[in-house]
Amino acid sequence: MTTGGDGDTSKQELFHLIKRFGACVTFKISNLFSLSLHGLDIRSIGAVAGLAVAIVFTWRLLRSPSGSQRRQQKRQGPSSSNLGVTTHSNVSDVPSDACSPSDDSRAQNVVDEFFQPVKPTLGQIVRQKLSEGRKVTCRLLGVILEESSPEELQKQATVRSSVLEVLLEVTKFCDLYLMERVLDDESEKRVLVALEEAGVFTSGRLVKDKVLFCSTENGRSSFVRQLEPDWHIDSNPEIVTQLARFIKYQLHVSPYKTERTAANVFSAPSLEQFFGSI
């Protein structure tokens, strides 16, 4: 408060000083005009008049900052008070229960749903289970077909419906060869017809030339060794044991629980259960 009073007093003193100086100049100019009638040089009169104009201009310049400051203070004053009122009203409008337990629970549910793990597709499971293997050989009896012996194939051949989806995924990802021991040519035809009716040749990438037939178990084992697959799938434990030294991975399909005979040999009750248990 003292600083503001001293500033106003100084401005008033300066204002009165300039006002007295202006009155003195006016008096001198009036005297000069009266003397001009007696032959005073007109250039002297012009110089005095210019000095008077300069003094007036300086006086106005010195007054303008104080006026502009007052106008700024008038403009800033209400805005400051309004700011205080606004801030007060905003603070008072904030509810005390902005983060209620129910809101936290709903937010947590949304986060849990968003980050819920996505279930892998069958194709992704097949790729992971086969460890990116690109070539697969597979026996038909007891794995792809309902029948479990060559004698049954002399009567009928039936593709297991539960294994069909997995089989088609394997054909999309791998170079698949199917093989089986048969007793006659009619059995071969029944197997090919059953596979065709199931859509293996149309929906998948398997062709009839990759369905191989032989007359002995050793012939099937020979097929596998010649093809050198990444995976071999069989239901005969003896064949699995014979090929353990030559094939990188094997799957022994058996309805009975069997002991693992080698580190690279897996077992499962069925092909679909092997790929379903990721």
Side-chain angles (χ1 to χ4, degrees):
M1 296 296 293
T2 305
T3 304
D6 294 341
D8 293 340
T9 303
S10 300
K11 291 178 181 180
Q12 290 178 359
E13 291 177 354
L14 179 61
F15 174 76
H16 290 303
L17 178 61
I18 295 174
K19 188 175 181 180
R20 288 196 300 270
F21 182 75
C24 180
V25 171
T26 303
F27 175 75
K28 292 292 183 182
I29 291 175
S30 61
N31 290 337
L32 288 174
F33 273 107
S34 62
L35 291 175
S36 63
L37 298 177
H38 298 84
L40 185 65
D41 190 1
I42 193 63
R43 288 180 295 182
S44 301
I45 298 175
V48 174
L51 177 62
V53 172
I55 292 173
V56 173
F57 179 78
T58 303
W59 174 67
R60 289 182 176 274
L61 185 62
L62 291 175
R63 280 190 64 188
S64 59
S66 62
S68 62
Q69 288 178 359
R70 285 195 298 268
R71 286 193 296 270
Q72 289 178 0
Q73 290 177 358
K74 290 181 181 180
R75 287 196 299 268
Q76 291 176 358
S79 62
S80 300
S81 60
N82 291 338
L83 179 60
V85 173
T86 304
T87 305
H88 177 73
S89 62
N90 289 340
V91 172
S92 62
D93 290 340
V94 176
S96 60
D97 58 345
C99 296
S100 64
S102 60
D103 293 339
D104 293 341
S105 177
R106 287 195 296 269
Q108 186 63 41
N109 291 337
V110 172
V111 172
D112 292 341
E113 289 182 6
F114 184 79
F115 289 101
Q116 186 176 5
V118 179
K119 185 178 180 180
T121 64
L122 180 58
Q124 292 172 336
I125 295 174
V126 168
R127 287 170 173 80
Q128 182 174 348
K129 282 287 189 177
L130 294 180
S131 303
E132 302 298 327
R134 300 300 298 176
K135 183 182 288 188
V136 178
T137 56
C138 180
R139 184 185 186 182
L140 286 164
L141 286 174
V143 181
I144 306 300
L145 302 178
E146 296 281 1
E147 292 74 25
S148 58
S149 67
E151 290 75 18
E152 293 181 68
L153 292 179
Q154 291 180 309
K155 299 178 182 179
Q156 63 181 15
T158 308
V159 176
R160 299 174 59 186
S161 58
S162 59
V163 80
L164 185 59
E165 186 178 4
V166 174
L167 180 63
L168 294 177
E169 284 295 332
V170 173
T171 60
K172 293 177 182 177
F173 179 66
C174 301
D175 187 14
L176 177 65
Y177 291 84
L178 301 178
M179 54 190 65
E180 190 50 63
R181 179 174 73 92
V182 295
L183 301 177
D184 50 37
D185 294 341
E186 292 299 321
S187 298
E188 292 185 19
K189 293 179 181 179
R190 290 189 184 94
V191 171
L192 292 174
V193 170
L195 293 173
E196 186 172 10
E197 290 180 350
V200 176
F201 299 129
T202 56
S203 300
R205 297 179 181 179
L206 184 67
V207 295
K208 292 182 180 181
D209 292 340
K210 292 183 179 181
V211 182
L212 309 176
F213 297 97
C214 58
S215 58
T216 63
E217 291 293 292
N218 289 334
R220 190 169 79 253
S221 178
S222 179
F223 282 156
V224 175
R225 292 180 62 180
Q226 290 177 13
L227 291 170
E228 298 181 345
D230 300 303
W231 278 82
H232 176 63
I233 304 170
D234 210 298
S235 59
N236 189 333
E238 295 180 1
I239 298 295
V240 171
T241 302
Q242 293 175 12
L243 296 174
R245 296 184 300 133
F246 308 101
I247 308 304
K248 187 176 181 180
Y249 299 109
Q250 287 193 94
L251 172 62
H252 178 208
V253 176
S254 173
Y256 310 103
K257 187 175 181 180
T258 59
E259 294 183 1
R260 194 168 182 176
T261 58
N264 62 339
V265 177
F266 301 86
S267 62
S270 64
L271 186 63
E272 60 270 25
Q273 290 189 31
F274 173 72
F275 288 110
S277 58
I278 190 167

